[in-house]
């Protein structure tokens, strides 16, 4: 009764961990993408400001030497549906709400290089489940059937029914054991099946309980350190490359699936490219793509099948656990992300300085955003396919730099429009404040 080599009910918990973790990881890595949604800082007095219609902040340009910028973004992430493997919209009965912030520090080392440190922080991390809606989903039925198959095998071994189909019919009819009996789960944990309680109720309880979330983890996520180097810059076009690493400083290994981790558990290397091109006065085209690859593997403790807010304390390598579907691996699983993720956007930004001189610090943008995920593996077993999520976004920025005040702010909103293998498609509302000073 295994799926991808993972015990039946454990596979559900792995799946829950993966889809709930998605918005959290997005809350961390997306900050680095958000860094350059608009073109990058130039002095407000630069004559090119008149042509571009805006004071540029982000994208393919760098901070001037000895200029320090601190950014404090705040992001609200919500979601209530996803997309299946065929790209169709799917509702699994979950709703998520994540509130995240970050501390972003940047410093202009030279005219062409800016250093950056980004530390995401999860303020709120909640997921709710509609049990009745979840029971109508394909994933529930698959997991319920896997448990029912395991129970049917047990009943057949004990001679209670003649063949597997008869045993399945017996379970479906509400059969209960005549006396209390201790049952070993694939995790090695012990469950006492009470006399008179239908076995199908235990199946339902384990499947729904395995998916039911609790208040998730909060705190610091994975620390990102990197740099942006400008390779080409004219009044009409700019090109830059960013590079860095993400360190697994967030909680991951010992966080059970019901609580959801704030970190990814692996060391990632990232490469980002930015290209900005002025189409006409006041209107810019912006493109960004960020690629990431895992440099290390992580470790992840199995979650209890009896309480998804705790890690497993049973022995999944015991003969009794192996007999009911354990894959024989220990409680500490090898966790890996394989492949190269791709995330970025293509958009247009308009500077209102061309409309009126006093509006030279105001800009608006629209963008198409995409994110292609990597494949997760536990103990070498693949956990589904790579996800693809596509969004449409819009935003407004206001900078006080033209008035010699070292402050700026921006607000943006993005909503999912398409996807594939995304259990939770998230929309986000972001507010970012920036302050500049010279060191």
């Amino acid at each position: 009764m295994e799926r991808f080599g993972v015990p039946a009910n454990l596979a559900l918990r792995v799946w829950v961990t993966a889809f709930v973790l998605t918005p959290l990881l997005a809350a961390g890595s997306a900050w680095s993408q958000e860094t350059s949604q608009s073109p990058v800082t130039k002095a407000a007095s630069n004559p090119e400001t008149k042509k571009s219609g805006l004071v540029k902040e982000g994208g393919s340009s760098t901070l001037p030497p000895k200029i320090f910028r601190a950014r404090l973004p705040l992001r609200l992430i919500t979601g209530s549906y996803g997309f299946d493997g065929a790209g169709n919209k799917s509702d699994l009965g979950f709703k998520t709400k994540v509130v995240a912030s970050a501390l972003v520090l940047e410093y202009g080392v030279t005219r062409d290089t800016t250093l950056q440190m980004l530390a995401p922080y999860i303020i709120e991390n909640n997921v709710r489940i509609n049990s009745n809606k979840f029971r109508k989903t394909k994933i529930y039925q698959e997991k319920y059937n896997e448990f029912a198959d395991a129970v049917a095998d047990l009943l057949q071994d004990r001679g209670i029914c003649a063949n597997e189909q008869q045993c399945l019919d017996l379970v479906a009819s509400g059969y209960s054991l005549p006396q209390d009996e201790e049952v070993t789960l694939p995790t090695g944990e012990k469950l006492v099946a009470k006399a008179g309680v239908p076995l199908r109720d235990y199946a339902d309880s384990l499947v729904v309980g395995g998916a039911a979330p609790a208040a998730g983890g909060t705190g610091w996520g994975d620390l990102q350190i990197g740099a942006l180097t400008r390779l080409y810059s004219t009044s009409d076009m700019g090109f830059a490359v960013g590079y860095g690493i993400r360190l697994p400083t967030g909680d991951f290994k010992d966080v059970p699936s019901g609580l959801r981790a704030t970190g990814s558990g692996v060391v990632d290397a990232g490469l980002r490219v930015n290209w900005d091109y002025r189409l006409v006065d006041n209107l810019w085209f912006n493109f960004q793509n960020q690629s990431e690859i895992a440099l290390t593997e992580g470790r992840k403790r199995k979650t209890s099948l009896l309480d998804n807010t705790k890690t497993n304390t049973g022995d999944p390598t015991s003969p009794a656990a192996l007999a009911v579907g354990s894959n024989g691996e220990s409680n500490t699983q090898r966790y890996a992300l394989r492949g190269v993720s791709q995330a970025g956007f293509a958009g247009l930004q308009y500077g209102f300085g061309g409309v009126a001189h006093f509006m030279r610090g105001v800009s608006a943008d629209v963008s198409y955003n995409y994110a292609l995920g990597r494949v997760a593996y536990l103990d070498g077993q693949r956990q589904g396919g790579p996800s693809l999520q596509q969004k449409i976004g819009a935003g407004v920025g206001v900078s006080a730099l033209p008035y010699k005040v070292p402050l700026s702010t921006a607000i943006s909103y993005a909503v999912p429009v398409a996807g594939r293998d995304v259990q939770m498609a998230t929309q986000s509302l972001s507010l970012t404040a920036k302050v500049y000073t010279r060191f």
Side-chain angles (χ1 to χ4, degrees):
M1 310 306 163
E2 297 184 9
R3 183 181 183 184
F4 303 125
V6 181
N9 293 293
L10 183 60
L12 175 67
R13 295 178 181 278
V14 169
W15 165 78
V16 171
T17 302
F19 99 78
V20 169
L21 202 58
T22 300
L24 301 188
L25 297 181
S29 62
W31 293 131
S32 56
Q33 298 160 24
E34 177 268 353
T35 302
S36 39
Q37 187 105 359
S38 45
V40 181
T41 303
K42 287 190 178 180
S45 59
N46 192 316
E48 290 304 326
T49 299
K50 296 181 179 180
K51 291 185 180 181
S52 65
L54 61 133
V55 177
K56 299 195 283 185
E57 299 182 65
S60 64
S61 298
T62 51
L63 291 172
K66 299 184 179 180
I67 294 297
F68 173 85
R69 176 169 62 192
R71 293 189 294 116
L72 184 64
L74 180 65
R75 179 167 294 177
L76 171 64
I77 302 166
T78 58
S80 60
Y81 63 90
F83 297 96
D84 61 22
N88 300 313
K89 188 175 178 180
S90 62
D91 185 351
L92 299 176
F94 292 90
K95 289 186 177 181
T96 185
K97 177 185 176 183
V98 176
V99 180
S101 185
L103 176 63
V104 187
L105 304 178
E106 298 163 292
Y107 184 72
V109 179
T110 69
R111 179 176 175 272
D112 295 316
T113 299
T114 295
L115 299 181
Q116 182 190 75
M117 184 279 291
L118 186 153
Y121 189 88
I122 308 300
I123 301 171
E124 181 180 345
N125 178 6
N126 289 318
V127 176
R128 293 183 291 118
I129 182 175
N130 182 323
S131 299
N132 290 330
K133 185 178 290 187
F134 177 63
R135 288 187 176 97
K136 298 176 182 178
T137 64
K138 181 179 179 181
I139 186 69
Y140 169 85
Q141 197 59 53
E142 289 177 351
K143 297 307 171 185
Y144 180 91
N145 290 342
E146 287 175 358
F147 183 87
D149 288 345
V151 173
D153 289 344
L154 179 64
L155 296 179
Q156 185 177 355
D157 290 342
R158 298 191 177 185
I160 297 176
C161 36
N163 55 57
E164 183 178 16
Q165 187 57 53
Q166 286 185 5
C167 292
L168 287 173
D169 292 340
L170 195 63
V171 173
S173 69
Y175 176 79
S176 59
L177 296 173
Q179 61 185 18
D180 291 358
E181 186 168 339
E182 187 177 73
V183 178
T184 301
L185 300 176
T187 54
E189 298 170 292
K190 307 294 184 180
L191 169 69
V192 177
K194 295 291 186 179
V197 178
L199 291 174
R200 67 185 180 189
D201 289 356
Y202 283 105
D204 177 82
S205 178
L206 284 174
V207 175
V208 174
T218 59
W220 293 105
D222 292 345
L223 180 67
Q224 303 175 40
I225 301 173
L228 179 71
T229 297
R230 179 173 56 188
L231 301 179
Y232 181 81
S233 179
T234 67
S235 61
D236 294 318
M237 187 171 66
F239 182 79
V241 174
Y243 39 91
I245 60 171
R246 180 184 293 113
L247 303 174
T249 53
D251 294 333
F252 181 78
K253 178 182 177 181
D254 296 315
V255 180
S257 63
L259 299 183
R260 300 173 306 284
T262 62
S264 65
V266 300
V267 177
D268 283 320
L271 178 67
R272 193 181 86 198
V273 295
N274 285 93
W275 177 52
D276 302 318
Y277 181 74
R278 183 162 57 201
L279 300 173
V280 296
D281 286 355
N282 311 324
L283 183 64
W284 285 79
F285 171 77
N286 311 131
F287 172 78
Q288 174 179 297
N289 184 79
Q290 181 164 311
S291 305
E292 293 187 10
I293 187 171
L295 301 180
T296 66
E297 291 189 351
R299 295 293 183 268
K300 184 70 174 176
R301 286 190 59 83
K302 291 181 178 178
T303 297
S304 166
L305 286 179
L306 300 177
D307 184 350
N308 71 353
T309 65
K310 297 179 180 179
T311 54
N312 183 41
T313 57
D315 181 8
T317 66
S318 67
L322 293 172
V324 293
S326 171
N327 63 0
E329 300 289 347
S330 69
N331 279 322
T332 301
Q333 305 168 101
R334 292 176 289 107
Y335 175 75
L337 288 173
R338 298 180 185 172
V340 180
S341 66
Q342 306 288 345
F345 64 85
L348 297 173
Q349 185 185 34
Y350 183 78
F352 288 93
V355 176
H357 184 66
F358 72 90
M359 297 182 67
R360 62 191 183 278
V362 181
S363 64
D365 63 81
V366 294
S367 62
Y368 159 77
N369 307 268
Y370 60 90
L372 177 64
R374 292 170 283 183
V375 178
Y377 286 79
L378 282 171
D379 287 332
Q381 301 300 316
R382 178 171 174 153
Q383 308 300 307
S387 63
L388 172 64
Q389 187 167 192
Q390 301 172 74
K391 300 181 181 183
I392 296 296
V396 175
V398 178
S399 175
L401 292 177
Y403 313 103
K404 300 183 179 179
V405 178
L407 298 172
S408 64
T409 186
I411 186 170
S412 62
Y413 179 73
V415 60
V417 293
R420 184 186 69 241
D421 286 320
V422 178
Q423 279 75 30
M424 182 65 73
T426 57
Q427 56 190 14
S428 61
L429 176 65
S430 304
L431 177 66
T432 303
K434 309 173 188 178
V435 60
Y436 302 78
T437 188
R438 179 179 293 275
F439 265 69

